[in-house]
Amino acid sequence: MLLIPCPFCGARDETEFVYGGDAGVERPRNPETTTDEAWTDYLCFRDNPQGMHRELWFHRDGCQRWITIERDTRTHELGAVRLSRS
Amino acid sequence: MRRQPFRAAEGGHLVDRSEPLRFDFDGHRYEGYQGDSLASGLLAAGVRIVARSFKYHRPRGVWGFGSEEPNAMVTTGIREDARANLKATEILLSDGLEAFGQNAWPSVAWDMGGAVGLAGRLMPAGFYYKTFMAPTRGWSALYEPLIRRMAGFGPAPAAPDDAFYAKRRIHADVLVAGGGPAGVAAALAAARAGARVVLADENVRFGGALLRMPGEIEEGDGLAWIDTAIAELETMSHVCLLRRATVTGYYDHNLLTVAERPDDDVEPSTPAVRLWFVRARDVVLAAGAHERPLLFDGNDRPGVMSASAAAGYAHAYGVLAGRQVVVAGNNDSIYAVARLLRGAGVAIAAVADSRSGGGVPDLPCRMGWVVERAVGSRRVRGVLLRRADGKPEDKGERIACDFVAMAGGWSPTLHLHAQARGSLDYDEERGLILPGRAGGVNRSAGAAAGRFDLDGCLAEGWAAGLAAATSSGHERPVGPPPRSPNRSAGDAPVSWQVGPGKRFVDLQYDVTAADIELAAREGYQSVEHVKRYTALGMGTDQGKTSSMAGLVLLSEALGRPVARTGTTTFRPPYTPVPIAAMAAGLVGEGRDALRRTAADDWHEAQGAVFTAAGLWRRPRYYPRDGMEEVETIEAEVRETRGGVGIVDVGTLGKVDIQGRDARVFLDLIYANRISTLGIGRGRYGLMLREDGRVFDDGVIMRLGEHHFYLTTTTAHQHAVMQHIEFLLQTVWPELEVYASDVTEHWFAAALAGPGSRALLGRAAPELDLSDAAFPMMAVRAATVAGLSALVFRMSYSGELSYEIAVPADHGLALWTRLLSEGREDDLTPYGTEAMGVMRIEKGHVTHAEADGRTTPDDLGLGRMVSADKRGVGKRSLDLPALRQKGRRQLVGLSVIDTQARIPPGCQVAESSDMKPAPPLGHITSFCYSPTFGRAIALALVENGRARTGQTVHITSPMTGLSMAAEVVPPVFYDAQGTRLHG
């Protein structure tokens, strides 16, 4: 079980958090001019990297903040952790 | 009762001879002492056969001393108290203990299945795979029951285990796994340095190897030094000492589990097992080493055992495993064992040392001799020795004995290190697999790291404890490390004897050396495949004593170095953990928090029947004297539609939204436009997921210029908040909007029915309830029943209705005051069942319809989607898949036969024959409608709206029921909405 250093609450068990997926996904700025293909890419397609992955987690049972974490998908080693909104 | 013929006249630091205990094994009564394990009690009583083996039903005796025990598996207790597959070595004897040998009928001493042993040659590796191939039908009918009767362990208990299990969570600077000399030294050093220390050991007493064999520390008895150290640790408030506690798992980020089996004699309320979750900054792995077996024919016979265990029974319990012993092995430990046994009163028949050399003068040594075979079947009666370097035709020498103590060297306990994904190094010269690079933040010390001398264990443990304390930021001075004059390493050369016969590698799963060689001949190369093919190491002991031998044999058979063969994956748990312990707190009452609305006390006093809605409980209906459930629900509906009813809607999610950009934001998160809402007005809103499916719905009220209050469904309170925060924090952080979940802050009740206006008029005399002053979808602040409230005019039931919200602390007062005010109106409280009937009649959707697959158009809500604004999910509605023909659309179904009732789980089909065919759709909600006098349903049906007026069939292939129904618009009741305006 991961120990996630929440910038507000300190190190907390993974069970307090909800995984929110790849932090690198950007919502298209103008959805209506985005092609079907680009839009479905945004909706459905995600990389599955071996190694460092920037991802979103929501501290549901804590401060209700979305945080962005770097996690090595092979070892669960964590890199930088920061608030997503900043 | 039988006496204790194999109890030595004195000795045994774990037992209290002043306290005799009685216990039963397989129906016979025996005597032991306080402090005995079941294994030592059985040995003292002279019971040699304690189990039957898994495959061949061979008689087996006690082999080991602790959790490595492969043989002595027993069941304790009977029926609902039965616990199967426990190791006799780990059970503390208690007065009146009842235990049974396993895998035998009628008893382990006389087992009918033992006849299989004669045919044992017919069951080589892969026997099941090769034999039970065809016909497949035969598997369940014939083979499986047969195998299940013959193979396996103890029976599952006949009733649920009503024992108490518990969990505990703790943070530590340093967790020390193993309380032998290395572990205790580590804990002492770390604790003196100031670190918060958890020291866990699986035995009843700290000391590790010193429990079995004496040693000297600091010019005194080693165990006495351990006791002094433990006494010092016990005075420190930052130290937690756990006895009978096995560190079973090493998980991510240094989370470790410790299964503690408290001695329930101490206090009756202690749990059977307490599972600790320890989050440690650093870990010292000092779990010791396991003694290896020797591989000779008949090495599984009762009486053949680990040498250190044989010594341990004498030293710790004053119990002799027999009268006359042959000690055999490949390292110096055999001399110490032999001397200890001799001192306890055992005759030493021979000490067979496979190494050449001088031996020792005080013991009958056979240098360069090995055991070829153990003689005897139900127990060992002697051994056949031969020269290690001799030819096969050399004549051996038979020596009589009644037990064999074998010392094949030591295998470091690598499990926790490996579970943490540490690397393993093979030391060819020493024949040891050693911990390499650490996976988590940990360090191995002592025998677990390949240090087998007492002085080395103390030094390494001390250093590891200091390092772990330093790494967690504690550096107080600790004094000098403890020393011991015992500096002999006692390493054993790698030598796995080769010879004919049944040489058991894995005693628990009956895997022999021949099985491993056969697997290699048949082409198995990967150690993981060989494990699965032969079952090597798959028993509850997880190969603690067998894996090294198996690995070496496989490498030899394949003609490649051990390092290339590698090991199988070490997975938690290290020792079996009862599922009940893992489930502690996750089952039964108290599993979840129970959410109660502010009016819950009233519902309970009223005898309401409750239903779960997420963590909430809500009244389903309010039972009435002499009325069935169905009649009661119908009455609640009738009285609300005909008069006035009240329902507790305090469970709805409520979100307060404020900020300069609130209107912009609400337009983005709802499919319909919210920004045009006037202050004091409300609007039904539809929330989509980004993929275009309906996510949630609710009502949005505008309370001020930049202030909104919105409701969510009960089920999605948390999901909606998460969604809102996601969008605010990651997608549109530039918006100035503040969202607060205020679900717990407010209580709400709805008055519904034509009589609601009159009742509310009396309760809130200052409020003008005329249509002009208080139209549909308006919100007003008012005093209701003397309480400050927000009143919303909206309707879920389809009747004229008002929802009244007050701060939660006033909820019960509001509820009871409205109830007493409503007495003259015959105000009817109604529950979720009546509410559900009325919403189906009115065609409102819930998550049964908005099931994560449906779009607004599927639900007939397509017109709500604002065409001229952006928003979450909007773009997806233009994707081809969401626009194509043939999607299931929401319709109403009106059952033609007024007597028919719809069973759960129905399909909608073109015909009633129920032959396999793709259905047209499925029922999402159904009820008996007291308003229409027939069963009605909401359904998602292919091209449903185009079928309006057609007849379809509601079919229930599971029950064989089918009924014809007319497709109608989903709003059955008052489609024009005239009743809303009263």
Side-chain angles (χ1 to χ4, degrees):
Chain A
M1 198 190 327
L2 307 186
L3 188 68
I4 297 177
C6 172
F8 275 124
C9 309
R12 298 299 183 97
D13 269 354
E14 178 186 336
T15 50
E16 295 186 5
F17 296 81
V18 177
Y19 180 63
D22 190 340
V25 175
E26 271 207 34
R27 189 176 196 269
R29 280 274 136 195
N30 296 297
E32 54 282 8
T33 58
T34 306
T35 63
D36 283 355
E37 199 183 343
W39 183 255
T40 47
D41 259 9
Y42 156 67
L43 281 182
C44 307
F45 288 90
R46 298 293 181 270
D47 292 335
N48 184 18
Q50 204 182 68
M52 273 300 177
H53 186 231
R54 272 183 66 235
E55 57 201 20
L56 296 166
W57 289 77
F58 179 59
H59 198 182
R60 180 191 56 196
D61 298 342
C63 58
Q64 304 270 304
R65 294 299 94 175
W66 282 90
I67 59 181
T68 304
I69 288 177
E70 282 177 21
R71 179 180 63 96
D72 191 317
T73 57
R74 295 163 306 184
T75 63
H76 286 326
E77 203 174 302
L78 299 188
V81 176
R82 61 171 183 82
L83 281 181
S84 302
R85 181 186 202 166
S86 59
Chain B
M1 195 201 302
R2 307 195 190 174
R3 306 297 306 172
Q4 304 186 41
F6 288 87
R7 183 82 62 178
E10 54 187 28
H13 61 79
L14 287 183
V15 292
D16 178 355
R17 291 180 187 239
S18 69
E19 279 204 59
L21 304 172
R22 288 160 305 157
F23 68 100
D24 286 357
F25 182 71
D26 269 356
H28 296 283
R29 177 146 296 187
Y30 302 102
E31 188 196 79
Y33 291 130
Q34 181 74 38
D36 262 324
S37 69
L38 177 60
S40 67
L42 288 168
L43 285 172
V47 178
R48 290 292 175 263
I49 303 176
V50 298
R52 286 277 169 168
S53 74
F54 184 71
K55 203 156 81 174
Y56 302 129
H57 286 239
R58 285 165 72 101
R60 292 281 165 82
V62 173
W63 191 95
F65 190 79
S67 65
E68 82 285 7
E69 174 60 43
N71 279 343
M73 308 271 289
V74 302
T75 296
T76 62
I78 49 172
R79 285 187 287 277
E80 65 272 19
D81 293 328
R83 300 229 174 86
N85 305 332
L86 304 177
K87 297 177 185 102
T89 50
E90 293 190 305
I91 298 169
L92 279 183
L93 214 52
S94 59
D95 203 39
L97 176 77
E98 275 185 286
F100 303 89
Q102 292 183 170
N103 201 23
W105 183 86
S107 75
V108 290
W110 302 104
D111 171 37
M112 298 304 286
V116 175
L118 303 172
R121 79 188 68 202
L122 299 181
M123 295 174 75
F127 175 70
Y128 298 153
Y129 303 118
K130 289 165 182 162
T131 312
F132 303 118
M133 292 293 284
T136 47
R137 259 181 323 173
W139 178 257
S140 55
L142 180 63
Y143 300 141
E144 188 181 340
L146 186 73
I147 292 168
R148 282 201 186 282
R149 188 151 5 115
M150 290 302 295
F153 295 130
D161 183 353
D162 60 1
F164 166 50
Y165 293 85
K167 283 183 183 148
R168 198 172 281 181
R169 285 159 216 282
I170 187 172
H171 287 260
D173 292 318
V174 181
L175 169 66
V176 181
V184 171
L188 190 61
R192 282 187 184 168
R196 286 173 305 163
V197 172
V198 175
L199 171 62
D201 187 85
E202 63 185 9
N203 290 302
V204 69
R205 181 175 184 183
F206 290 102
L210 292 172
L211 299 181
R212 300 188 300 258
M213 299 276 286
E216 191 183 330
I217 301 177
E218 296 287 318
E219 288 162 26
D221 176 51
L223 211 45
W225 180 86
I226 297 273
D227 286 348
T228 308
I230 294 297
E232 180 180 340
L233 290 168
E234 247 155 10
T235 64
M236 302 182 181
S237 60
H238 57 293
V239 173
C240 172
L241 298 175
L242 299 176
R243 293 175 181 83
R244 282 173 68 71
T246 311
V247 183
T248 54
Y250 197 134
Y251 302 89
D252 293 312
H253 293 189
N254 268 24
L255 179 74
L256 292 97
T257 50
V258 183
E260 182 193 8
R261 297 155 293 129
D263 177 1
D264 53 14
D265 276 359
V266 177
E267 66 187 86
S269 62
T270 46
V273 173
R274 186 186 284 129
L275 193 59
W276 294 73
F277 294 79
V278 183
R279 187 75 81 167
R281 288 179 197 272
D282 208 318
V283 179
V284 176
L285 301 174
H290 291 125
E291 188 155 45
R292 300 172 180 177
L294 300 174
L295 304 184
F296 52 81
D297 187 10
N299 64 349
D300 67 321
R301 291 303 181 193
V304 179
M305 65 198 301
S306 149
S308 70
Y313 286 108
H315 187 57
Y317 301 106
V319 169
L320 310 178
R323 309 272 181 226
Q324 191 165 23
V325 69
V326 168
V327 183
N330 55 10
N331 63 82
D332 287 347
S333 74
I334 50 179
Y335 303 119
V337 168
R339 287 183 188 126
L340 188 145
L341 291 173
R342 185 177 60 193
V346 177
I348 312 298
V351 177
D353 190 330
S354 64
R355 303 168 299 177
S356 53
V360 292
D362 61 320
L363 290 165
C365 296
R366 301 296 182 98
M367 298 311 295
W369 285 70
V370 296
V371 179
E372 172 156 293
R373 184 154 59 89
V375 183
S377 62
R378 292 171 52 78
R379 61 163 311 153
V380 69
R381 306 209 173 279
V383 294
L384 195 64
L385 294 184
R386 70 171 173 82
R387 296 200 64 84
D389 56 0
K391 301 176 182 67
E393 61 270 22
D394 283 356
K395 205 164 174 297
E397 184 180 345
R398 183 169 165 163
I399 293 179
C401 65
D402 64 354
F403 77 111
V404 177
M406 58 178 181
W410 297 90
S411 295
T413 305
L414 304 162
H415 299 66
L416 295 170
H417 167 84
Q419 285 175 22
R421 288 186 285 250
S423 67
L424 301 175
D425 295 336
Y426 184 63
D427 183 332
E428 182 115 33
E429 201 178 320
R430 301 176 68 197
L432 296 177
I433 302 181
L434 296 171
R437 175 190 47 75
V441 184
N442 64 61
R443 48 207 82 229
S444 296
R451 286 303 292 263
F452 298 130
D453 63 304
L454 185 50
D455 192 51
C457 285
L458 290 167
E460 234 179 64
W462 189 266
L466 266 187
T470 306
S471 93
S472 53
H474 300 276
E475 294 183 323
R476 291 214 294 263
V478 298
R483 297 300 305 263
S484 167
N486 305 125
R487 289 176 194 152
S488 128
D491 276 8
V494 207
S495 71
W496 301 98
Q497 297 173 26
V498 183
K502 276 203 159 60
R503 292 164 293 139
F504 283 87
V505 177
D506 184 329
L507 291 166
Q508 191 165 101
Y509 267 11
D510 272 353
V511 181
T512 65
D515 289 326
I516 294 167
E517 286 150 11
L518 177 66
R521 274 205 306 284
E522 289 183 351
Y524 288 90
Q525 305 227 343
S526 154
V527 64
E528 296 282 3
H529 292 160
V530 171
K531 169 181 169 178
R532 283 153 184 80
Y533 191 57
T534 62
L536 173 73
M538 289 174 74
T540 63
D541 62 343
Q542 290 282 289
K544 289 184 180 59
T545 57
S546 63
S547 66
M548 191 63 206
L551 185 55
V552 171
L553 289 176
L554 177 66
S555 302
E556 281 175 4
L558 294 170
R560 70 182 182 201
V562 173
R564 260 196 62 212
T565 300
T567 66
T568 53
T569 308
F570 290 86
R571 294 190 181 85
Y574 173 69
T575 54
V577 177
I579 289 175
M582 301 182 203
L586 300 175
V587 291
E589 212 175 320
R591 180 191 62 179
D592 294 316
L594 179 63
R595 300 179 80 181
R596 304 164 188 250
T597 72
D600 187 82
D601 285 349
W602 188 92
H603 304 319
E604 184 163 291
Q606 206 66 20
V609 173
F610 287 98
T611 185
L615 295 180
W616 294 101
R617 68 171 191 178
R618 303 185 71 177
R620 272 185 66 217
Y621 64 95
Y622 299 88
R624 301 181 184 189
D625 286 342
M627 283 174 76
E628 297 286 323
E629 174 182 334
V630 181
E631 295 172 299
T632 310
I633 293 162
E634 285 174 29
E636 289 179 7
V637 172
R638 237 181 0 254
E639 290 163 17
T640 301
R641 293 227 186 276
V644 57
I646 184 168
V647 62
D648 181 341
V649 292
T651 62
L652 286 183
K654 307 162 195 85
V655 185
D656 183 276
I657 300 269
Q658 302 194 40
R660 202 182 52 212
D661 298 316
R663 290 166 65 213
V664 176
F665 182 64
L666 291 172
D667 270 354
L668 287 167
I669 64 170
Y670 285 100
N672 49 322
R673 195 175 276 287
I674 308 297
S675 53
T676 52
L677 203 54
I679 294 172
R681 301 289 297 182
R683 187 169 290 167
Y684 174 72
L686 197 62
M687 211 178 260
L688 304 185
R689 298 194 316 220
E690 191 71 290
D691 67 2
R693 273 65 173 195
V694 175
F695 172 42
D696 204 59
D697 64 353
V699 173
I700 304 97
M701 313 331 139
R702 186 166 180 191
L703 302 180
E705 181 61 28
H706 299 301
H707 188 188
F708 293 80
Y709 171 104
L710 54 94
T711 65
T712 76
T713 57
T714 298
H716 275 179
Q717 175 204 342
H718 296 293
V720 168
M721 270 313 288
Q722 185 180 326
H723 178 68
I724 287 175
E725 292 294 357
F726 176 82
L727 296 171
L728 283 177
Q729 293 176 41
T730 76
V731 182
W732 296 298
E734 66 276 14
L735 296 181
E736 191 191 304
V737 178
Y738 306 95
S740 311
D741 186 338
V742 293
T743 305
E744 303 282 347
H745 301 209
W746 293 90
F747 170 81
L751 287 172
S756 58
R757 179 176 281 147
L759 169 52
L760 182 60
R762 292 201 310 282
E766 290 156 25
L767 194 57
D768 184 350
L769 293 175
S770 67
D771 262 333
F774 199 166
M776 194 50 191
M777 298 310 285
V779 51
R780 299 284 179 267
T783 300
V784 180
L787 302 164
S788 284
L790 285 173
V791 182
F792 310 128
R793 183 169 167 196
M794 64 169 109
S795 176
Y796 193 58
S797 56
E799 304 298 335
L800 174 68
S801 172
Y802 299 90
E803 224 171 275
I804 302 145
V806 294
D809 287 348
H810 298 167
L812 187 59
L814 175 76
W815 183 267
T816 50
R817 288 180 197 180
L818 286 174
L819 259 294
S820 60
E821 183 66 52
R823 214 164 282 144
E824 63 184 85
D825 313 74
D826 290 326
L827 176 61
T828 298
Y830 64 93
T832 54
E833 289 288 338
M835 186 175 77
V837 168
M838 288 189 276
R839 78 99 187 159
I840 294 170
E841 290 176 341
K842 192 63 188 167
H844 287 308
V845 300
T846 63
H847 290 299
E849 288 76 30
D851 62 359
R853 294 176 292 183
T854 45
T855 66
D857 184 64
D858 296 341
L859 298 178
L861 302 170
R863 279 174 315 157
M864 283 191 67
V865 179
S866 171
D868 59 349
K869 73 164 190 64
R870 291 175 173 185
V872 173
K874 173 82 184 314
R875 173 66 182 83
S876 294
L877 298 177
D878 292 329
L879 293 174
L882 271 61
R883 301 178 75 89
Q884 69 194 13
K885 295 258 177 278
R887 290 187 62 86
R888 291 185 179 185
Q889 296 169 330
L890 185 71
V891 296
L893 294 179
S894 180
V895 175
I896 289 158
D897 176 359
T898 56
Q899 298 306 305
R901 298 291 178 270
I902 303 171
C906 281
Q907 302 284 347
V908 179
E910 208 122 26
S911 91
S912 62
D913 61 15
M914 279 185 276
K915 287 197 181 130
L920 286 180
H922 63 277
I923 302 290
T924 56
S925 303
F926 61 92
C927 68
Y928 169 74
S929 164
T931 313
F932 297 99
R934 64 178 72 243
I936 61 170
L938 297 175
L940 287 163
V941 176
E942 224 171 272
N943 299 321
R945 289 195 285 272
R947 294 178 198 269
T948 306
Q950 293 176 8
T951 298
V952 294
H953 295 271
I954 298 174
T955 63
S956 168
M958 294 296 288
T959 61
L961 283 175
S962 153
M963 63 199 75
E966 188 191 347
V967 178
V968 297
V971 185
F972 296 85
Y973 185 73
D974 186 31
Q976 280 71 46
T978 49
R979 297 187 63 89
L980 303 182
H981 300 283

